[in-house]
Amino acid sequence: MTTVASRPADHPAPTAPPAEGRTYQVRTHGCQMNVHDSERLAGLLETAGYRPAPGGATPDVMVFNTCAVRENADNKLYGTLGHLRPTKDATPGMQIAVGGCLAQKDRGEIVRRAPWVDVVFGTHNIGALPVLLERARVEREAQVEIEEALTTFPSNLPTRRDSAYAAWVSVSVGCNNTCTFCIVPSLRGRETDRRPGDVLAEIEMLVADGVQEVTLLGQNVNAYGVEFGDRAAFAKLLRACGQIEGLERVRFTSPHPKDFTDDVIAAMAETPNVMPQLHMPLQSGSDAVLRAMRRSYRSERYLGIIDRVRAAMPHAAITTDIIVGFPGETEADFQATLDVAAASRFAASFTFQYSIRAGTPAATMPDQIPKAVVQERYERLVALVDDIAWQENRALVGAEVEVMFADGEGRKDAATSRMSGRARDNRLVHVAVPTDPAQRPRPGDLATTTITYSAPHHLTADAGLTGLRRTRGGDAWQDRRSAPRPAAVGLGLPAVGVPAPLAPADACAPR
C-alpha cells in the first residue's frame, strides 16, 4: 500500500529550472544504513541532472535523510527545518525534502509542522525522490509519498559513493525481531534478503573500480538467509568474499547474538580478508532486562560467543552497543551490565541513555528511570569501558600494525603532520608520515607501522612507515581528485526473493 498526499505550498511558486544544472545537498542522520541510503539519494539526483552544491553555497534542493531511533531525532529535525525556513523564503525555487525513518513514521505530520517542506518520502521508496521533487515544482504542492512495503531492493538504484576505496554493501534490509525499545522494524519492515550472487557481483564490480574494503550491512546481518531458508548463508557469503581477488578487507555490521553461529566464527577466522573485528550489540548485561527488552539471548550466551571468537581470533577487537536506564532497570541489573562489560573487555562501546520512542512497547512500561539516575549510571559505565579500552590499547604499544589510510579520520592531522587510518581490527591509528609528498601514503594505501602511544579511543604511531604499499584504492582516490566527478553507478535490477543456493566455499563464484 502507498500513502500519497499533497497540499498547497504556503510559499511562492517555484521559479527554478528543471533538474539539469540544479544543485543539491544531502544531510544524513543515523546508522550506516542511512549513510548508504544517502549515497543512493545522491546517485539518483545526479542521474536526474542535479549536481552537488559547492561548499558553503545554498543548494537548490536540501534533502534530510532522517533517523527515528532516539527521541531527540524529532526535535533536531524540526529545529533544523525551522532555522532553514528564512533561507528558503529568501531563495526562489529552493526545495526541501525529508526522507528516512522519521519520514516513514511521521508522514503527513512533517508538512503539518513544517509546511514549507516540499517532499516527504519513506524508507521503501527512496527511488521516487527525483520524480516527487519535479512534481512538487510543477504542481506547486508538497508531495507526501510513503510506501508500506519494499518492492525492489535499493541496490538497483544509482549510487554516488562517498569513498573511492571503501564501500557499504547491503545484504538485507528490515528486521524480524521485536525488541521492545526499537522502532526500526515498523519503519524498515520485515527482513528482505538479497540474492547471494547479486551481493557478490556488486562487490566484484566495486573491486574492479578500485574499492578494496567492503562492509556488509543489514539490520541483523547474520540472520541473512532466513528468507530463503539457509541458516549458513552468511558464513558462506563471508567465505565467498575471500575468493574475490583484490578485496583486501571485509567487515560487517550489525549481528544479533541470537543468530550468531559457530560457522560464522570459523568463516571469520579462516578467511584472510575478513577482519578480526566484531561489533555485537549487548544492550544489557542483566538477564531480567534482556527479557523485558525481548532480546532472545542471555548474558551467558553473549559471553560464550565472545569466548569462542577470541579462541579463534585472539587479537580480535570487540565493540558493542549498550542501553542504560531501560524501564525497570535496578541497581543490581545495572551492576550486571558492568560485570558483563568488564568480562567482555570491549575495545569500545556505543552507550546510549534510554529514551522513550512512541509506538514501542517500552514507551508505556512502568518504572521509567529518573533522568538523574540514568545519567549517573551512564557516566559509570562510560568510565569503566574507557578504562578497559585504554588498558587494551596500552598493550598494543610496541606492536606492529597494518594501517589502511583514510580520508577524514584524523581531525588534527594537518596540525600534527600525521595521517590517520584503521588497523585491521578497526582501531583508529594516527601515523607520522614523511613530509615529501612522493613518500606519503594516499587514502586507500596500506603500510605497516609500530604503535608508540595509546589513548582510550585511538593509537598513535610516530615510528615511521615500513612496507608502504601503493594500492588500486589509492589510485582510485587520486583519480577521483584529478578527474571530473564520475557518473553515478547503477547495478541493474537485483531481484527480491528466494535465490539459488550459494555454492560451496571452495567453489564460490558470483551468480
Side-chain angles (χ1 to χ4, degrees):
M1 186 177 76
T2 304
T3 301
V4 182
S6 64
R7 53 89 187 147
D10 71 337
H11 47 80
T15 58
E20 191 67 39
R22 301 191 76 206
T23 62
Y24 77 90
Q25 183 183 123
V26 179
R27 293 187 185 178
T28 310
H29 306 280
C31 65
Q32 295 95 332
M33 193 68 74
N34 272 25
V35 173
H36 191 28
D37 283 348
S38 289
E39 292 182 329
R40 303 202 184 286
L41 292 170
L44 284 160
L45 291 170
E46 293 191 24
T47 300
Y50 295 84
R51 55 186 175 82
T58 299
D60 295 309
V61 173
M62 175 69 78
V63 183
F64 293 93
N65 188 13
T66 63
C67 174
V69 170
R70 299 191 57 76
E71 185 177 22
N72 65 2
D74 306 50
N75 298 332
K76 184 174 182 179
L77 173 67
Y78 292 119
T80 301
L81 292 175
H83 285 115
L84 192 58
R85 184 174 188 178
T87 302
K88 187 176 194 296
D89 289 343
T91 310
M94 182 182 180
Q95 291 180 291
I96 299 174
V98 178
C101 290
L102 189 60
Q104 188 82 17
K105 179 177 77 74
D106 281 4
R107 305 181 183 221
E109 179 71 8
I110 292 174
V111 292
R112 188 190 69 79
R113 294 181 60 176
W116 52 95
V117 169
D118 299 275
V119 170
V120 178
F121 61 101
T123 58
H124 298 313
N125 65 322
I126 62 176
L129 177 59
V131 170
L132 293 173
L133 286 168
E134 185 62 8
R135 189 187 301 163
R137 188 187 71 82
V138 172
E139 297 181 4
R140 294 182 290 176
E141 291 183 344
Q143 304 295 312
V144 180
E145 186 170 296
I146 306 292
E147 290 280 357
E148 300 294 340
L150 188 71
T151 54
T152 183
F153 202 91
S155 294
N156 68 25
L157 302 173
T159 303
R160 165 67 59 219
R161 297 189 183 269
D162 290 335
S163 171
Y165 49 85
W168 311 102
V169 175
S170 292
V171 303
S172 64
V173 295
C175 181
N176 294 342
N177 294 312
T178 57
C179 301
T180 56
F181 57 82
C182 186
I183 200 169
V184 168
S186 67
L187 303 179
R188 291 276 183 178
R190 292 186 62 79
E191 180 173 328
T192 300
D193 294 330
R194 284 179 80 186
R195 296 173 180 269
D198 290 334
V199 175
L200 296 171
E202 179 178 358
I203 295 172
E204 286 207 326
M205 182 201 73
L206 291 168
V207 171
D209 285 342
V211 167
Q212 57 199 32
E213 175 177 296
V214 298
T215 301
L216 305 176
L217 288 181
Q219 250 81 40
N220 181 9
V221 69
N222 59 327
Y224 176 69
V226 65
E227 191 179 32
F228 48 88
D230 186 356
R231 290 274 296 166
F234 189 63
K236 293 176 184 176
L237 188 63
L238 291 177
R239 292 184 184 276
C241 287
Q243 305 297 314
I244 298 177
E245 186 176 353
L247 181 59
E248 302 265 1
R249 295 183 172 190
V250 178
R251 307 186 191 276
F252 59 89
T253 193
S254 290
H256 193 297
K258 81 176 180 65
D259 296 307
F260 212 103
T261 52
D262 287 347
D263 62 339
V264 170
I265 297 173
M268 293 174 67
E270 296 166 9
T271 309
N273 64 355
V274 176
M275 295 296 95
Q277 173 234 339
L278 173 64
H279 181 79
M280 186 168 65
L282 168 64
Q283 307 303 6
S284 176
S286 162
D287 289 351
V289 173
L290 288 171
R291 192 174 299 111
M293 289 178 167
R294 215 178 285 156
R295 301 281 289 181
S296 48
Y297 58 90
R298 300 297 176 255
S299 58
E300 182 178 2
R301 171 169 172 74
Y302 188 93
L303 289 170
I305 294 169
I306 286 181
D307 287 345
R308 294 194 296 278
V309 168
R310 289 206 166 111
M313 295 169 286
H315 301 297
I318 299 174
T319 58
T320 195
D321 298 331
I322 300 175
I323 297 172
V324 176
F326 188 79
E329 181 188 74
T330 65
E331 178 60 29
D333 292 326
F334 178 66
Q335 183 59 51
T337 296
L338 293 175
D339 293 342
V340 173
S344 300
R345 301 199 66 79
F346 295 121
S349 173
F350 298 88
T351 306
F352 305 94
Q353 299 184 32
Y354 171 77
S355 62
I356 292 175
R357 298 308 292 131
T360 64
T364 56
M365 286 182 176
D367 302 322
Q368 301 284 330
I369 310 300
K371 169 66 176 174
V373 175
V374 177
Q375 181 68 34
E376 189 272 337
R377 290 177 182 172
Y378 171 84
E379 291 173 1
R380 270 193 284 159
L381 178 59
V382 168
L384 172 68
V385 172
D386 282 356
D387 183 59
I388 292 170
W390 201 359
Q391 292 176 33
E392 296 293 303
N393 282 356
R394 283 199 294 267
L396 293 172
V397 173
E400 187 175 79
V401 298
E402 179 193 74
V403 176
M404 180 182 290
F405 293 92
D407 257 335
E409 291 279 20
R411 290 175 294 178
K412 299 180 181 178
D413 282 358
T416 60
S417 298
R418 296 187 179 107
M419 286 184 64
S420 298
R422 297 282 171 173
R424 289 174 60 83
D425 63 10
N426 209 39
R427 283 181 165 93
L428 177 63
V429 187
H430 303 304
V431 184
V433 295
T435 56
D436 181 357
Q439 299 180 44
R440 291 170 67 91
R442 305 162 300 180
D445 286 341
L446 290 137
T448 53
T449 187
T450 300
I451 302 303
T452 56
Y453 172 80
S454 70
H457 304 297
H458 71 267
L459 301 167
T460 301
D462 285 338
L465 301 179
T466 58
L468 173 63
R469 178 156 62 92
R470 303 293 185 184
T471 66
R472 292 174 64 251
D475 293 342
W477 174 86
Q478 188 167 327
D479 289 346
R480 183 179 285 196
R481 281 173 57 91
S482 58
R485 192 171 173 87
V489 176
L491 295 173
L493 293 170
V496 170
V498 179
L502 191 63
D506 60 353
C508 282
R511 295 176 178 227

